């Protein structure tokens, strides 16, 4: 054992970059000083040492912006707290737009940032030139300034965090590689090093671009891949003012900031390429990759047009370093499935310096409090699908993440690379019917159907896209006749065994101790009453239940359930998603259609809403469940994969005369929004309770034995909630909202939209969003009155608000 290396610690943090050091520092600040940091080489020697140092708040999601806000607080106080300088200064950032589309994107981004309380100011091109005089602005449509953004020195900041942690008692060991993770009973119990084991209650994987390799050792799937990433530093530029705002010029794929007496010009350019995808060399330390001017030159030339002073500036440094990127461009922060007390914070997509201090602080709070201090479902390592750590997949998909980083981020934008991996048994059939596919975690899913003669591509815009009318027709068919969806990508868990009922009763807020053939809509709560999962549970027989979850939540739902199986429980949880096709047949004519194919009695009396049973269909058998996500009469058919095409053909052939249409996920979203059905990860997640989310109807308060989260929920019920999920429609039928738009009540910001879609029956945008009241226990009537506005692209649009959905508020249509 290395001298001084303890045999045990409360937490072992693996990785001495900014993220690992921040985690250790913040654990120590929480009083968790029995912490060991292991660094295979020297602190900062991974990717941190060469970070450009930008701190920009315009991040893609509410949660990731919250992380940067937390980072900014830390940047503001760290030097004072530790006595070590960080080079932090607030210079602001200017984002530039050179087209109407880019300008709309920037305005939408500014509104989203305001939903976090981040200052964002719209500027004319001339206004931008005033803040950054050398800038060429002749071709600009506008700019947005984030005055509170900043920059700092990554190495200094990390050393300040490390020294600060040590001052509080944390032990840091450099040149000490973690070679393994020990585990017992599904829990991480320590870390192996060449010099022996360090036992631990918690293990944190903060190994940056090594995150995937180090994760594999513990059986954790952490998809990320290092790509080559560039900046250029110029010689001194005479007369260049110091302290200029950072420029982010997405149209030029570049950012610019003062660097000494010159400028740093960094790039997020198309044509990126992976580095060492088969394994990072063991001796990698302060790695610098070879220059590639052939690749970078054209982008630099382009940037000279934006900033003509670059033309005469000599180049002092042409830097290329590896940085890890992920398949969806979002980092991994949280727990991995199947291994308790193992946390990961890696894959930072070149925002690890600006996110690292906040991410480490969040992780420290999470470990210390046993719950995350903020909701980050988008960064949850349990969102990952198994194929995502495949090397070839990563090489293709992750380069696209970087290539797209500075492109316009369109609503409904689809990835092009590494497609076609996971297909429904009906894939060819729905494709033949005109399906235009989108992708979710490898699944190809019919988003909309192109009628004959219509091109099967997306033409993106922030307004109505080319599929708008086709999707509207699908929507109408479901409301007025009958529609068929292929939702085979949905997650299906078979929970079976002697104690299946008791485990599920404990986990579900609703009562699942029902007769076989009943289906129960329920949430799974954490002990604070927050919603960890939103599922339906079908009781198949005494010892068998089927849990339906989303394609992106199946892994975390399974993990949640398995974590709540006690040592004496006799239960198994099996993911049977791929074995069953799922075909919702929805709409007022669905009964007539399906009745023509089955001897089972589908009348309301014989087959009421909320029931499920195996029925004959044509010459086969399927499980038919009367439930809806669209607000209409209908049955979800669960079909053995080998029978799927046969059943599909039977339904389509019987449905043609009844006006059956194929309907895709865009129509599904429009339909569900009108009826106000919540979507986990958007409208509900771990820090929203059923009382806040309007889901108390699904809480069985008094069922025997209670359920996880009941006590917290009871306390909240007693006290009264302070925020409620509300339904909105925008008065202007031409304005489209998507998510994160700020909500104003009587001119005051009271929340932001969690999701939105155009409602084709209501003829306007429909949305959901939480509204926060002045105090807990505020009467529901307060929420419903008042003049509401939603800020879309920096413009306030009058809106209607209600506590019930605008379409079929009593939910009678699905129950007829
Ligand atoms: C050119 C360039 C410019 C950038 N500019 C910015 C910017 O302006 N703003 C920004 O926010 N981000 C920027 N970044 C990204 C930023 O540098 C990274 O996201 C950040 O440093 C990641 O920090 P980390 O702690 O996750 O990883 P790292 O700094 O790589 O730390 C991980 C550490 O883990 C150690 N390790 C790995 N495996 C083991 C093991 N088995 N045992 C012990 N130790 C292990 C490694 O040696 C490494 O030191 C830039 C990146 C590049 C390449």
């Amino acid at each position: 054992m290395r001298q001084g290396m303890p045999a045990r610690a409360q937490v072992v943090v693996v990785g001495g970059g900014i993220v690992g050091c921040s985690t250790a520092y913040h654990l120590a600040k929480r009083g968790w000083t029995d912490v060991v940091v292991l660094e295979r080489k020297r602190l900062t020697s991974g990717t941190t040492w060469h970070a450009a140092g930008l701190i920009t708040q315009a991040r893609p999601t509410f949660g990731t912006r919250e992380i940067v806000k937390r980072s900014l607080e830390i940047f503001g106080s760290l030097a004072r707290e530790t006595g070590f300088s960080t080079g932090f200064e607030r210079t602001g950032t200017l984002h530039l737009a050179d087209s109407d589309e880019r300008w709309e994107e920037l305005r939408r981004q500014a509104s989203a940032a305001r939903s976090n309380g981040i200052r964002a100011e719209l500027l004319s091109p001339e206004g931008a030139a005033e803040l950054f005089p050398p800038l060429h602005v002749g071709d600009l449509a506008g700019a947005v300034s984030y005055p509170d953004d900043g920059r700092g020195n990554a190495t200094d900041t990390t050393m300040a965090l490390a020294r600060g942690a040590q001052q509080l008692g944390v032990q840091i060991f450099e040149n000490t590689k973690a070679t393994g993770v020990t585990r017992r009973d599904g829990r991480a119990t320590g870390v192996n090093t060449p010099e022996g084991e360090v036992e631990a209650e918690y293990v944190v994987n903060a190994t940056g671009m090594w995150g995937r390799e180090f994760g594999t050792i513990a059986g954790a799937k952490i998809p990320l891949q290092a790509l080559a990433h560039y900046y250029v530093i110029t010689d001194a530029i005479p007369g260049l003012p110091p302290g200029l705002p950072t420029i982010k010029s997405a149209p030029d794929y570049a950012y610019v900031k003062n660097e000494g007496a010159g400028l740093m010009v960094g790039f997020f350019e198309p044509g990126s390429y992976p580095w060492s995808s088969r394994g990072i060399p063991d001796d990698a330390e302060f790695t610098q990759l070879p220059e590639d001017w052939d690749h970078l030159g054209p982008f630099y030339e382009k940037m000279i047009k934006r900033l003509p002073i670059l033309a005469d500036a000599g180049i002092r440094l042409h830097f290329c370093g590896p940085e890890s990127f992920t398949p969806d461009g979002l980092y991994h922060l949280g727990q991995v499935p199947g291994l308790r007390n193992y946390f990961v914070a890696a894959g930072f997509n070149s925002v690890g310096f600006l996110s690292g201090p906040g991410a480490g602080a969040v992780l420290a709070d999470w470990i210390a409090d046993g719950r995350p201090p903020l909701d980050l479902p988008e960064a949850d390592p349990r969102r990952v699908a198994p194929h995502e750590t495949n090397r070839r997949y990563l090489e293709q998909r992750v380069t696209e993440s970087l290539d797209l980083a500075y492109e316009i981020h369109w609503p409904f934008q689809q990835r092009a690379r590494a497609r076609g991996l996971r297909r429904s048994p009906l894939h060819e059939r729905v494709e033949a019917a005109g399906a235009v596919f989108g992708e979710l975690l490898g699944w190809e899913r019919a988003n909309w159907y192109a009628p004959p003669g219509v091109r099967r591509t997306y033409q993106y815009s922030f307004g109505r896209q080319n599929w708008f009318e086709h999707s509207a027709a699908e929507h109408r068919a479901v409301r007025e006749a009958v529609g068929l969806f292929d939702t085979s990508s949905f997650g299906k868990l078979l929970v079976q065994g002697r104690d299946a009922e008791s485990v599920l009763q404990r986990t579900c807020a609703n009562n699942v101790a029902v007769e076989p053939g009943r289906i129960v809509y329920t949430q799974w709560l954490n002990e604070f009453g927050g919603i960890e999962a939103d599922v339906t549970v079908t009781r198949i027989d005494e010892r068998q239940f089927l849990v339906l979850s989303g394609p992106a939540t199946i892994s975390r739902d399974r993990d949640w359930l398995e974590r709540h199986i006690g040592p004496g429980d006799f239960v198994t949880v099996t993911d049977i998603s791929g074995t069953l096709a799922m075909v919702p047949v929805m709409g007022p004519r669905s009964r007539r259609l399906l009745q023509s194919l089955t001897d089972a009695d589908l009348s309301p009396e014989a087959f009421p809403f909320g029931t499920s049973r195996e029925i004959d269909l044509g010459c086969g058998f399927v499980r038919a469940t009367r439930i809806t996500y669209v607000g209409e009469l209908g049955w979800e058919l669960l079909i053995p994969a080998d029978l799927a095409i046969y059943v599909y053909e039977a339904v389509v052939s019987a449905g043609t005369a009844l006006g059956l249409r194929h309907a895709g996920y865009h129509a599904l979203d429009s339909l569900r929004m009108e009826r106000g059905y919540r979507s986990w990860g958007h409208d509900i997640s771990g820090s929203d309770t059923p009382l806040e989310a309007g889901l108390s109807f699904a809480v069985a308060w008094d069922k025997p034995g209670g359920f996880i989260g009941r006590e917290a929920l009871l306390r909240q019920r007693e006290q009264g909630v302070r925020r409620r999920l509300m339904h909105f429609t925008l008065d202007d039928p031409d304005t489209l909202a998507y998510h994160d738009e700020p909500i104003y009540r009587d001119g005051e910001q009271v929340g932001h939209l969690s999701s939105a879609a155009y409602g084709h029956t209501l003829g306007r945008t429909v949305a959901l969003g939480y509204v926060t009241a002045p105090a807990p226990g505020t009467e529901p009537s307060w929420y419903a009155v008042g003049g509401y506005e939603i800020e879309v692209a920096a413009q306030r649009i009058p809106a209607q608000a209600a506590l019930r959905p605008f379409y079929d508020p009593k939910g009678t249509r699905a129950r007829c």
Side-chain angles (χ1 to χ4, degrees):
M1 174 82 47
R2 168 185 291 253
Q3 181 141 36
M5 173 103 82
R8 73 166 310 284
Q10 212 169 356
V11 184
V12 173
V13 177
V14 185
I18 190 160
V19 177
C21 291
S22 173
T23 307
Y25 176 66
H26 288 96
L27 278 168
K29 278 187 68 173
R30 293 288 313 260
W32 286 49
T33 52
D34 184 11
V35 174
V36 162
V37 177
L38 302 179
E39 165 53 48
R40 53 183 272 287
K41 297 288 182 187
R42 279 171 289 166
L43 294 180
T44 78
S45 68
T47 51
T48 294
W49 70 283
H50 54 227
L54 270 46
I55 307 164
T56 50
Q57 296 174 92
R59 308 264 57 92
T61 68
F62 188 87
T64 51
R65 290 189 292 274
E66 286 297 299
I67 294 273
V68 189
K69 277 172 66 184
R70 186 124 188 221
S71 285
L72 274 170
E73 285 168 22
I74 297 162
F75 280 117
S77 60
L78 187 62
R80 196 175 57 248
E81 281 177 15
T82 61
F84 292 91
S85 78
T86 60
F88 173 65
E89 51 175 341
R90 258 181 225 278
T91 52
T93 304
L94 270 178
H95 291 242
L96 310 183
D98 69 341
S99 66
D100 290 348
E101 291 81 10
R102 291 258 188 207
W103 183 220
E104 172 146 10
E105 183 186 34
L106 287 195
R107 284 182 285 124
R108 283 181 180 266
Q109 201 175 53
S111 291
R114 286 176 187 161
S115 74
N116 297 71
I118 294 170
R119 288 200 297 152
E121 292 158 10
L122 269 50
L123 298 177
S124 64
E126 297 71 32
E130 268 174 42
L131 290 177
F132 201 113
L135 207 58
H136 168 67
V137 296
D139 61 336
L140 292 187
V144 173
S145 160
Y146 291 84
D148 298 320
D149 281 3
R151 59 178 77 131
N153 182 302
T155 300
D156 290 353
T157 305
T158 306
M159 294 315 284
L161 289 162
R163 298 292 169 250
Q166 284 174 317
Q167 286 164 0
L168 295 168
V170 170
Q171 299 182 73
I172 297 178
F173 297 93
E174 294 183 286
N175 299 309
T176 307
K177 183 175 176 179
T179 50
V181 173
T182 55
R183 53 191 295 165
R184 196 170 49 245
D185 300 332
R187 196 174 76 80
T189 54
V191 167
N192 295 121
T193 75
E195 290 142 57
E197 183 189 341
V198 186
E199 246 185 79
E201 285 170 39
Y202 295 90
V203 174
V204 176
N205 174 352
T207 57
M209 64 184 169
W210 290 263
R212 171 164 55 108
E213 284 172 53
F214 186 66
T216 306
I217 295 175
K221 287 197 172 285
I222 303 165
L224 54 83
Q225 171 57 47
L227 306 181
H229 196 36
Y230 291 93
Y231 54 69
V232 166
I233 297 177
T234 71
D235 288 333
I237 300 177
L240 185 74
L244 289 166
T246 298
I247 297 295
K248 178 177 164 181
S249 186
D252 300 305
Y253 303 107
Y255 60 84
V256 179
K257 71 174 186 80
N258 295 83
E259 185 71 24
L263 288 171
M264 173 189 281
V265 186
F267 297 90
F268 282 79
E269 77 293 354
S272 58
Y273 51 89
W275 176 69
S276 280
S277 56
R278 289 174 193 269
I280 297 169
D282 206 40
D283 58 354
E285 181 184 19
F286 298 111
T287 304
Q288 186 162 352
L289 305 179
E291 295 182 9
D292 185 352
W293 196 249
D294 286 347
H295 169 68
L296 202 63
F299 298 104
Y300 196 75
E301 293 291 320
K302 192 165 160 54
M303 202 50 201
I304 290 176
K305 295 203 180 86
R306 177 71 54 221
L307 213 49
I309 48 169
L310 290 175
D312 297 325
I315 290 179
R316 177 158 68 83
L317 176 70
H318 177 172
F319 183 83
C320 181
E323 161 66 349
S324 56
F325 288 81
T326 61
D328 59 6
L330 290 165
Y331 45 82
H332 304 291
L333 185 67
Q335 303 191 64
V336 297
L339 189 57
R340 288 175 214 208
N341 296 12
Y342 182 95
F343 285 81
V344 56
F348 274 88
N349 295 280
S350 207
V351 295
F353 167 64
L354 63 90
S355 312
V362 161
L363 213 54
D365 285 349
W366 197 332
I367 291 170
D369 298 332
R371 68 184 294 198
L374 59 91
D375 251 355
L376 269 175
E378 64 273 34
D380 189 340
R382 291 170 293 179
R383 73 189 187 280
V384 166
H387 66 270
E388 289 186 284
T389 48
N390 175 289
R391 176 182 60 80
R392 282 174 217 88
Y393 170 82
L394 283 170
E395 286 177 351
Q396 293 172 38
R397 176 54 64 87
V398 169
T399 45
E400 195 179 29
S401 296
L402 177 49
D403 286 4
L404 293 176
Y406 273 23
E407 298 289 0
I408 297 179
H409 296 92
W410 299 108
F412 311 107
Q413 188 167 6
Q414 300 300 322
R415 291 300 193 91
R417 297 186 205 155
R419 290 289 300 264
L421 266 77
R422 303 169 84 187
R423 302 179 196 203
S424 143
L426 300 174
H427 184 87
E428 273 76 27
R429 300 301 156 124
V430 297
E431 187 172 36
V436 182
F437 293 99
E439 184 251 10
L440 182 64
L441 286 163
W443 281 102
E444 295 293 329
R445 309 184 336 146
N447 275 352
W448 59 283
Y449 287 83
V454 172
R455 279 189 64 207
R456 297 186 187 198
T457 52
Y458 274 89
Q459 284 157 20
Y460 296 123
S461 81
F462 289 101
R464 297 180 178 190
Q465 300 186 359
N466 60 321
W467 48 267
F468 184 88
E469 284 308 335
H470 310 304
S471 189
E474 297 163 23
H475 173 119
R476 278 194 296 275
V478 175
R479 290 271 184 257
E480 294 160 18
V482 57
L484 173 153
F485 299 85
D486 177 10
T487 56
S488 302
S489 60
F490 269 57
K492 301 140 200 136
L493 295 176
L494 189 62
V495 184
Q496 48 188 345
R498 185 193 65 202
D499 301 312
E501 180 186 298
S502 61
V503 168
L504 282 168
Q505 273 296 69
R506 201 160 61 232
T507 316
C508 298
N510 212 340
N511 183 15
V512 294
V514 291
E515 291 296 304
R518 300 283 324 176
I519 173 159
V520 179
Y521 171 56
T522 186
Q523 283 71 46
W524 296 350
L525 308 183
N526 54 41
E527 58 184 297
F528 308 97
I531 301 172
E532 293 290 341
D534 181 62
V535 297
T536 60
V537 178
T538 304
R539 180 158 212 162
I540 293 172
D541 61 31
E542 215 33 52
R543 293 179 170 215
Q544 254 193 7
F545 294 80
L546 182 65
V547 175
L548 282 187
S549 125
T553 46
I554 180 77
S555 154
R556 60 165 285 134
D557 289 354
R558 178 182 184 172
D559 182 59
W560 185 263
L561 195 56
E562 286 181 338
R563 279 173 192 242
H564 291 93
I565 297 175
D569 290 325
F570 188 75
V571 184
T572 60
V573 180
T574 316
D575 182 352
I576 57 165
S577 306
T579 67
L580 293 171
M582 185 167 159
V583 176
V585 180
M586 295 284 152
R589 293 185 199 155
S590 56
R591 180 176 282 127
R592 244 168 87 197
L593 164 51
L594 293 176
Q595 191 65 80
S596 72
L597 295 168
T598 180
D599 295 341
D601 182 354
L602 300 186
S603 68
E605 300 73 32
F607 208 139
F609 187 79
T611 59
S612 169
R613 75 179 67 125
E614 196 175 86
I615 62 168
D616 64 285
L617 203 146
C619 299
F621 290 95
V622 302
R623 171 163 288 279
T625 298
R626 250 199 92 182
I627 189 92
T628 180
Y629 198 51
V630 298
E632 302 296 339
L633 171 70
W635 280 262
E636 283 178 0
L637 305 182
L638 281 170
I639 316 161
D642 51 356
L643 202 68
I645 291 176
Y646 167 77
V647 170
Y648 165 86
E649 285 173 345
V651 171
V652 170
S653 129
T656 309
L658 294 170
L660 176 81
R661 269 190 95 119
H662 289 71
Y665 277 89
H666 293 328
L668 188 74
D669 211 29
S670 167
L671 292 156
R672 77 106 184 157
M673 285 301 305
E674 287 188 333
R675 243 324 262 135
Y677 294 129
R678 280 74 170 141
S679 163
W680 194 91
H682 300 102
D683 311 309
I684 45 178
S685 51
S687 58
D688 311 313
T689 71
L691 291 166
E692 295 164 339
L695 294 172
S696 45
F697 68 88
V699 177
W701 295 96
D702 300 321
K703 69 177 178 178
F707 54 88
I708 298 165
R710 179 171 179 270
E711 283 64 36
L713 220 50
L714 281 172
R715 279 196 299 279
Q716 192 182 48
R717 190 170 69 168
E718 188 78 6
Q719 201 185 15
V721 296
R722 198 182 160 189
R723 57 199 282 273
R724 284 178 188 273
L725 189 64
M726 295 194 61
H727 305 258
F728 296 91
T729 57
L730 298 190
D731 288 359
D732 174 13
D734 292 325
T735 299
L736 299 188
Y738 298 105
H739 57 83
D740 286 2
E741 292 83 357
I743 303 168
Y744 298 86
R745 181 184 174 278
D746 292 339
E748 215 177 291
Q749 196 172 325
V750 287
H752 64 274
L753 298 187
S754 50
S755 56
Y758 189 87
H760 292 287
T761 303
L762 296 171
R764 57 202 60 230
T765 291
V766 199
L768 286 163
Y770 287 91
V771 168
T772 301
T778 299
E779 286 300 312
S781 56
W782 178 91
Y783 292 87
V785 296
Y788 278 94
E789 292 167 307
I790 308 293
E791 183 184 319
V792 181
Q795 242 201 321
R796 293 196 194 177
I797 311 293
Q800 303 305 309
L803 286 161
R804 283 172 160 248
F806 287 93
Y807 179 77
D808 189 21
K810 295 209 168 107
T812 51
R813 291 182 65 89
R815 292 166 188 273
C816 57

